[in-house]
Amino acid sequence: INAEYGDHTKFINYHTQKMREIISIHIGQAGVQAGNASWELYCLEHGINPDGTMKNKGTESSHLTFFNEIGNGKNVPRAIFVDLEPSVIDEIRTSEYSKLFHPDQLITGKEDAANNYARGHYTVGKELLNVTLDRIRKLADDCESLQGFLIFHSVGGGTGSGFGSLLLERLSADYPKKPKLDFCIYPSPQVSTAIVEPYNSVLSTHALLEHTDCAFILENEAIYDICRKTLGIQRPGFVNLNRLIAQVISSLTTSLRFEGSLNVDIAEFQTNLVPYPRIHFILASYAPILSTSKAFHEEMSVGQITTSAFEESSMFCKVDPRAGKYMATCLMYRGAVIHKDVQAAISVIKGKKDVQFVDWSPAGFKCGINSRSPSVVPGGDLAKVPRSVLMLANTTAIAQTFSRINKKFDLMFSKRAFVHWYVGEGMEESEFTEAREDLAALEKDYEEVALDNTDEIEDEE
């Protein structure tokens, strides 16, 4: 049923009984650790114990999107964890959730990529490629109606960038019609974990442009700030960061797993958020982010959480949204939310001066509503709240992330610093210039889409 509300927002309400499965692929340290937090949250949401058994088995089959139920009542995650060195995945093998995962789905190599894209892509990574593709193929064969892939990795490290790009290339060849949604941890403006991050990021983004359908950009520094300023954690660790990322991923997939009044399919993200194939880098924000001490003193109406989601302090990426224009926005509500409140909240946002849309996108908003309220990890940082919203926005402000990385890349590459490590692993120097030119073109694309139609008409005259 399609219904137009006002002249702007389109609501889509449909549900199919067919099972809709998603395969998650976690690559490198960042991908694996973000994956750990996500699976911990999924288990809580679906009432699944750390050993894969269900607490109270009813007729509910919502968990089958992410879990494969096998004969003995055990649920096995539809997930692959890959890292070129064993230490991070060994933590899963010895953790509370060690019995949850199929041992063959935890794939490790013996030597790591040493922060080197070329090692992850050409030498060390090549050895693990076929094993990984084989496991993915087996998982895909077990699916009734595979919806697509969620891929988690960083673009600054060696495994996440190099092996991540290699795997994405093969996935787009093997499963060309399946949506590939990518959660990528981008280098932060101030906090850096490797000197060669700009090289890895530019080379990896070059692959993301071609082989992913939607890339959600997450930045450690922005999430650190949310933990420090909003949650009051003095020294946030990766566990704190990853639990916030897990909330984003959980909200994104809620409508595939639970009944809702407005369901949003995985393919609908692309249709509504990506105006042009290359402009598919998405900014995510989540609200409300409240610590347990503050939760009892704050009213969290639909209007307030929607306004909060558009504030810079709620965004998972260090950009200034006021400096760009929105092309499309997707709002995923969950919990006690009704249409009328959503409409009112969107009207308020449209009236704000600092939320600007490009003039060629009059509708601008897509909404999803789900009645299942968000879950939180017991003893974690976040308070249990009755409702939440995830905002996914395609905004020209995201170009700030690319221009920052490009500047750092140029400083290093002008002196050819550290390039010999990449060339020594079988890469050609021309790949650097090709990738850098592609990113320069991407920056230009963002400038062009931000132009108003009136500006273009004047230019033509």
Side-chain angles (χ1 to χ4, degrees):
I1 309 153
N2 282 2
E4 284 286 349
Y5 284 76
D7 58 342
H8 284 312
T9 313
K10 179 178 265 194
F11 284 109
I12 296 174
N13 182 3
Y14 86 110
H15 184 70
T16 54
Q17 290 305 312
K18 195 160 72 162
M19 213 48 255
R20 302 177 297 173
E21 300 95 346
I22 289 179
I23 293 174
S24 305
I25 303 167
H26 307 275
I27 306 165
Q29 182 174 348
V32 168
Q33 289 177 336
N36 261 344
S38 305
W39 287 103
E40 179 184 37
L41 190 60
Y42 299 152
C43 285
L44 285 167
E45 288 182 341
H46 293 291
I48 291 172
N49 296 315
D51 63 354
T53 55
M54 274 195 115
K55 286 173 185 155
N56 39 8
K57 181 83 182 89
T59 52
E60 179 87 344
S61 64
S62 60
H63 63 289
L64 296 176
T65 297
F66 279 126
F67 293 89
N68 185 15
E69 197 171 351
I70 52 178
N72 57 9
K74 203 167 147 29
N75 295 282
V76 182
R78 301 180 194 275
I80 300 270
F81 288 78
V82 197
D83 198 358
L84 299 184
E85 55 104 28
S87 61
V88 184
I89 291 182
D90 280 349
E91 284 174 24
I92 301 177
R93 293 182 176 127
T94 55
S95 72
E96 185 191 358
Y97 287 88
S98 58
K99 291 192 173 70
L100 181 68
F101 299 100
H102 191 303
D104 287 357
Q105 289 165 9
L106 306 175
I107 302 166
T108 50
K110 293 202 169 40
E111 52 172 333
D112 75 355
N115 283 134
N116 185 335
Y117 174 91
R119 275 173 76 83
H121 197 278
Y122 293 102
T123 47
V124 188
K126 275 268 195 293
E127 295 163 21
L128 283 187
L129 181 66
N130 288 334
V131 185
T132 310
L133 286 169
D134 197 42
R135 289 307 312 174
I136 293 170
R137 206 169 294 118
K138 281 180 183 159
L139 280 180
D141 291 345
D142 284 341
C143 295
E144 184 186 313
S145 168
L146 176 62
Q147 284 292 299
F149 298 94
L150 300 182
I151 297 116
F152 301 76
H153 63 108
S154 71
V155 297
T159 309
S161 66
F163 186 74
S165 321
L166 181 63
L167 193 61
L168 279 166
E169 278 171 34
R170 290 297 297 271
L171 282 179
S172 64
D174 294 353
Y175 306 93
K177 290 276 185 283
K178 299 291 177 204
K180 284 164 278 299
L181 271 57
D182 194 79
F183 293 88
C184 35
I185 318 286
Y186 261 72
S188 312
Q190 308 298 327
V191 182
S192 171
T193 56
I195 291 168
V196 289
E197 265 181 357
Y199 284 167
N200 294 335
S201 305
V202 167
L203 292 163
S204 183
T205 307
H206 179 47
L208 290 178
L209 270 169
E210 210 167 317
H211 302 295
T212 58
D213 300 295
C214 238
F216 302 96
I217 293 192
L218 307 163
E219 259 177 29
N220 281 344
E221 193 178 327
I223 311 172
Y224 270 127
D225 286 351
I226 291 172
C227 286
R228 266 201 303 266
K229 294 173 185 168
T230 316
L231 293 174
I233 305 164
Q234 289 306 309
R235 303 181 69 178
F238 282 141
V239 173
N240 309 103
L241 271 66
N242 289 330
R243 281 184 176 163
L244 276 177
I245 291 172
Q247 288 293 347
V248 168
I249 295 151
S250 168
S251 296
L252 188 82
T253 55
T254 310
S255 58
L256 291 167
R257 299 179 285 145
F258 305 111
E259 284 281 336
S261 57
L262 281 178
N263 281 319
V264 178
D265 206 299
I266 192 169
E268 285 178 47
F269 289 119
Q270 287 164 259
T271 313
N272 289 281
L273 284 173
V274 183
Y276 305 101
R278 282 168 65 87
I279 309 282
H280 66 239
F281 294 92
I282 310 297
L283 180 65
S285 80
Y286 181 81
I289 296 172
L290 293 175
S291 61
T292 37
S293 56
K294 290 181 192 168
F296 299 109
H297 307 283
E298 297 215 12
E299 185 201 352
M300 291 156 285
S301 66
V302 173
Q304 281 171 322
I305 62 172
T306 309
T307 305
S308 173
F310 278 86
E311 287 167 5
E312 195 177 338
S313 59
S314 301
M315 307 223 165
F316 281 45
C317 183
K318 275 272 179 213
V319 295
D320 181 3
R322 291 167 305 219
K325 291 181 181 177
Y326 290 91
M327 290 169 270
T329 322
C330 189
L331 294 167
M332 310 284 289
Y333 292 91
R334 60 190 292 191
V337 176
I338 56 170
H339 289 196
K340 188 168 131 299
D341 294 347
V342 172
Q343 276 309 126
I346 288 173
S347 305
V348 170
I349 293 294
K350 283 178 181 162
K352 283 185 180 290
K353 287 274 187 288
D354 54 357
V355 178
Q356 270 195 311
F357 273 82
V358 289
D359 67 352
W360 48 263
S361 175
F365 288 88
K366 165 150 184 69
C367 299
I369 298 176
N370 198 282
S371 55
R372 180 67 68 108
S373 61
S375 301
V376 290
V377 177
D381 318 310
L382 290 167
K384 181 99 174 96
V385 291
R387 64 187 65 81
S388 73
V389 62
L390 166 68
M391 180 193 75
L392 303 169
N394 196 341
T395 164
T396 59
I398 207 91
Q400 296 164 27
T401 305
F402 302 124
S403 61
R404 270 200 304 263
I405 292 168
N406 288 345
K407 281 195 187 88
K408 290 178 184 173
F409 178 97
D410 293 342
L411 287 170
M412 281 163 57
F413 196 64
S414 62
K415 290 276 186 259
R416 298 293 185 274
F418 305 102
V419 169
H420 68 283
W421 292 114
Y422 292 77
V423 174
E425 296 290 339
M427 207 172 130
E428 288 179 16
E429 207 174 289
S430 60
E431 276 190 62
F432 282 94
T433 41
E434 188 188 318
R436 179 63 185 88
E437 281 162 13
D438 199 17
L439 260 79
L442 182 66
E443 276 191 71
K444 194 100 187 78
D445 292 344
Y446 273 103
E447 276 171 36
E448 282 171 15
V449 292
L451 285 175
D452 287 343
N453 288 336
T454 47
D455 298 342
E456 287 180 11
I457 291 163
E458 282 168 19
D459 290 346
E460 283 166 21
E461 285 171 3

